[in-house]
Structure formats: structure tokens, C-alpha cells
Amino acid sequence: MSKPPCPRPWLLQRSPPLTDAIHHRIGLVSISDRASSGVYEDKGLPALRDWLASCLTTSHSFVERLIPDEREVIESTLVSLADAEGCSLILTTGGTGPAPRDVTPEATLAIAHKDMPGFGEQMRQISLRFVPTAILSRQVAAIRGQSLIINLPGQPKAIRETLEGLRDAQGLSVVPGIFAAVPYCLDLIGAPGMQTDPARCQAFRPKSAASVPPKA
């Protein structure tokens, strides 16, 4: 099986933006044999798109892909979104279970420069609040150049819960969602600054970083 090229990180530096405006290109990838072949309607992309649109206050646009559970296709899609499309954030949904065709984590790590295990650990902690089978999920996150890639669950409800976290009856956070850490992670890898609506997701940055102007 051929493997997409994985150049060294310094070869992936993007050209400076033409203006000072901050804009994020976000890759959304739904991975499903049946949805990609038209057997049923894909629900992953709309779930990702709707949640991000309600959360982000920074200018952004989406680059969407609906693909089958083929490792080579997943790898080449992620490489293209990170390197050619210039997506600073890439979210995938589907293909993270233990079934033979579930190969999204393997494909993600194969093209990555760094593994970010904390994201997967937190997603499983959130999902375990609802179902014991959350321990069967294998979501991973990784960095490729200046792109953060995160595998998410396949169901819209689970996507929302893992991104946003859990709140009590008063609306107070009980378990933080993973997206709270995304903007600061993007800062650290040199991607443009990202801001969120605190009512949906309170992004966390250390005090030492909170006063630093976001990078265009």
C-alpha cells in the first residue's frame, strides 16, 4: 500500500495572507462506505458544519469531503486538505470503531507529524458518561505542519457532545469539550488565531497567551 508523502514540517509553511484579515479554512471529512455510495444520507457533514457555524466568531469557510472507508483515500484526502487547501483545522467523522473497515485513526496517524493523544482521551471520557461502549472508540488527533486533525464520532449527538462538553441543569460546564483546547493548539502550531462564542464554547488560553494578539 502506497503512503502519501509526509514532508518535514518546515516544508509545509504557508505563504503569508494577502490581507491582515483572519480567515480559517476548515476541512470537514465524513468517512462512510454507505453514505459515500448513496445508500443513505450523510449526517456527519451537516452536524459538523452546523455546530462550527454556531460556535466560531472568526471568519471561516468549509472544505467538505464525503469519502469511503478506504485508508489510501483517507490519507490522500487529509494530505490534500492540510497541504494544498491550507486548512488549519480538519475534523473527520466516522471510521473510528473496531470493525475491519474502520481505519480512520490509522490513516490519520500515517500522515501526521505529531500525535495529540489528549483529544482522544477526553472524547472517550465524555462518551463514557452515556454508553459503556465508548471504550471501543479509537478517535485520535494529530498535527501535520500547521494543521490540527481531529477524528470525531460518527453520530451527530456524539459529535456535539465531544466538541461542546457536558453541562448541568444550570448550564454550567461539568465536563469540558475538546474544542475548548482547539484555539490555543492552533496558536501553538502557528495557525491563524481562532475565537469562539463563549455561550457555546469557552476557548481556554493561559493568561500569558490571552493578551497576545491573534495571528493573521
Side-chain angles (χ1 to χ4, degrees):
M1 180 182 296
S2 62
K3 180 177 177 180
C6 189
R8 298 186 183 277
W10 55 80
L11 297 180
L12 298 178
Q13 299 299 309
R14 299 174 190 142
S15 299
L18 297 178
T19 71
D20 292 333
I22 296 176
H23 182 84
H24 277 271
R25 287 172 63 79
I26 301 175
L28 305 180
V29 186
S30 184
I31 301 163
S32 168
D33 285 332
R34 288 180 291 177
S36 64
S37 62
V39 174
Y40 59 65
E41 181 183 3
D42 172 65
K43 296 182 179 180
L45 291 175
L48 291 171
R49 188 190 316 120
D50 292 348
W51 190 88
L52 288 168
S54 70
C55 174
L56 297 180
T57 58
T58 308
S59 173
H60 60 276
S61 57
F62 301 125
V63 183
E64 302 183 4
R65 301 286 187 268
L66 176 58
I67 59 176
D69 292 281
E70 296 285 350
R71 178 167 170 173
E72 290 187 355
V73 175
I74 300 170
E75 290 182 14
S76 62
T77 298
L78 296 179
V79 169
S80 175
L81 290 172
D83 300 0
E85 297 288 349
C87 294
S88 53
L89 177 64
I90 302 169
L91 302 180
T92 76
T93 174
T96 60
R101 295 283 292 172
D102 291 333
V103 294
T104 301
E106 287 80 7
T108 301
L109 295 177
I111 57 88
H113 298 131
K114 292 182 179 178
D115 181 14
M116 299 293 289
F119 285 98
E121 293 165 4
Q122 182 66 2
M123 281 188 274
R124 283 179 280 278
Q125 284 297 315
I126 293 171
S127 296
L128 278 169
R129 296 289 185 112
F130 300 97
V131 291
T133 51
I135 61 175
L136 302 180
S137 64
R138 301 185 304 116
Q139 293 101 322
V140 302
I143 291 169
R144 180 181 173 88
Q146 289 176 291
S147 301
L148 173 62
I149 306 169
I150 305 176
N151 301 158
L152 294 169
Q155 297 300 316
K157 179 175 181 291
I159 291 172
R160 184 182 69 253
E161 290 165 350
T162 53
L163 289 171
E164 190 171 329
L166 308 179
R167 300 176 183 270
D168 61 18
Q170 288 70 45
L172 300 176
S173 177
V174 177
V175 181
I178 64 165
F179 207 83
V182 167
Y184 185 50
C185 182
L186 294 177
D187 294 347
L188 294 174
I189 65 175
M194 176 178 282
Q195 305 298 326
T196 62
D197 180 354
R200 177 65 97 171
C201 175
Q202 178 68 63
F204 176 82
R205 287 181 172 90
K207 291 182 179 179
S208 59
S211 60
V212 178
K215 181 180 296 185

